[in-house]
């Protein structure tokens, strides 16, 4: 099957949509045109750019059209967004999400906007961090030798990442040796 792989778009909706349209993945109305092909986003849609939310909604929309052909994996910036670390957001985005949510800080605003009770927050928490598609392993930024040697299944790894999605890596309990890998 055909496969289109992207990473690190950081809220650049114009770049993302242009790539998808020009490579025949979607049409100009943002509908799937890639047949049985697979679209793989290896993390970091969020942060930096001013259009993180439209980027996420586009992937949400496409997943509704082709459930098993869209693979959006967690990157470190998705996790930072969920647990409310807004330091990478540009100033315009920081101000906008604070205004939208009514929160007094960008970190609280992110937590509110991407809470597990919001549609996008709930949806993004269901993402995997690692997947095999065909015979290719996909993960954002690699995995440690310690994790490879642990013999954990992909399902176990994804479960641990989801468990701690709302927690800064420095706040993961030291006793959870799997999560610390």
């Amino acid at each position: 099957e055909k496969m289109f792989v992207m990473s690190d778009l950081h809220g650049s909706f114009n770049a993302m949509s242009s790539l998808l349209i020009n490579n025949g993945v979607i049409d100009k109305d943002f509908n799937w045109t890639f047949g049985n092909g697979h679209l793989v986003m290896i993390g970091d849609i969020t942060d930096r750019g001013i259009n993180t939310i439209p980027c996420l909604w586009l992937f949400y929309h496409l997943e509704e059209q082709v459930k098993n052909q869209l693979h959006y994996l967690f990157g470190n910036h998705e996790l930072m967004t969920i647990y409310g670390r807004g330091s990478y957001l540009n100033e315009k985005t920081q101000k906008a999400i604070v205004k939208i949510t009514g929160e007094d800080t960008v970190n609280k605003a992110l937590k509110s906007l991407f809470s597990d009770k919001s549609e996008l927050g709930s949806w993004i928490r269901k993402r995997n961090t690692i997947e095999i598609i065909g015979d290719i392993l996909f993960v954002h930024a690699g995995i440690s030798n310690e994790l490879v040697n642990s013999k954990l299944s992909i399902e176990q790894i994804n479960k641990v990442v989801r468990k701690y999605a709302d927690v800064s890596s420095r706040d993961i309990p030291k006793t959870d040796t799997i999560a610390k890998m």
Side-chain angles (χ1 to χ4, degrees):
E1 299 296 329
K2 299 179 288 185
M3 188 178 301
F4 190 79
V5 182
M6 306 186 306
S7 181
D8 293 273
L9 290 167
H10 294 289
S12 180
F13 186 83
N14 291 340
M16 184 177 80
S17 59
S18 293
L19 280 168
L20 295 174
I21 291 167
N22 292 332
N23 285 282
V25 178
I26 62 173
D27 63 22
K28 62 180 176 52
D29 295 319
F30 307 115
N31 293 305
W32 187 263
T33 57
F34 207 43
N36 291 328
H38 289 258
L39 172 58
V40 184
M41 178 62 195
I42 311 174
D44 287 6
I45 283 181
T46 62
D47 276 352
R48 296 190 180 132
I50 61 171
N51 290 309
T52 288
I53 304 299
C55 287
L56 291 171
W57 280 121
L58 177 57
F59 268 77
Y60 182 96
H61 166 72
L62 292 172
E63 189 174 67
E64 291 294 308
Q65 295 179 24
V66 291
K67 296 233 183 273
N68 297 318
Q69 293 164 250
L70 185 131
H71 311 269
Y72 171 26
L73 306 180
F74 272 127
N76 57 313
H77 285 265
E78 279 77 17
L79 293 171
M80 290 188 310
T81 297
I82 290 171
Y83 67 73
R85 184 173 167 202
S87 59
Y88 284 92
L89 294 173
N90 67 50
E91 189 176 332
K92 183 177 179 181
T93 302
Q94 288 181 5
K95 288 179 181 177
I97 65 168
V98 166
K99 184 175 182 178
I100 289 167
T101 62
E103 297 290 351
D104 58 347
T105 69
V106 68
N107 293 349
K108 288 179 185 176
L110 279 173
K111 284 186 174 217
S112 174
L113 194 58
F114 290 98
S115 81
D116 60 354
K117 304 213 178 355
S118 75
E119 189 67 22
L120 274 180
S122 175
W123 175 77
I124 206 168
R125 281 172 174 74
K126 295 175 185 155
R127 305 301 95 204
N128 289 326
T129 195
I130 185 169
E131 280 188 30
I132 294 177
I133 305 164
D135 59 355
I136 302 171
L137 177 71
F138 291 96
V139 64
H140 182 79
I143 54 177
S144 68
N145 286 333
E146 186 179 24
L147 186 57
V148 170
N149 294 330
S150 73
K151 306 287 189 221
L152 291 171
S153 71
I154 287 175
E155 183 179 313
Q156 289 171 308
I157 295 167
N158 287 325
K159 185 177 179 182
V160 169
V161 172
R162 282 190 209 101
K163 177 180 178 181
Y164 290 111
D166 291 283
V167 179
S168 171
S169 59
R170 64 182 164 263
D171 295 329
I172 295 172
K174 291 179 183 3
T175 55
D176 194 333
T177 55
I178 293 173
K180 287 291 188 180
M181 286 185 211

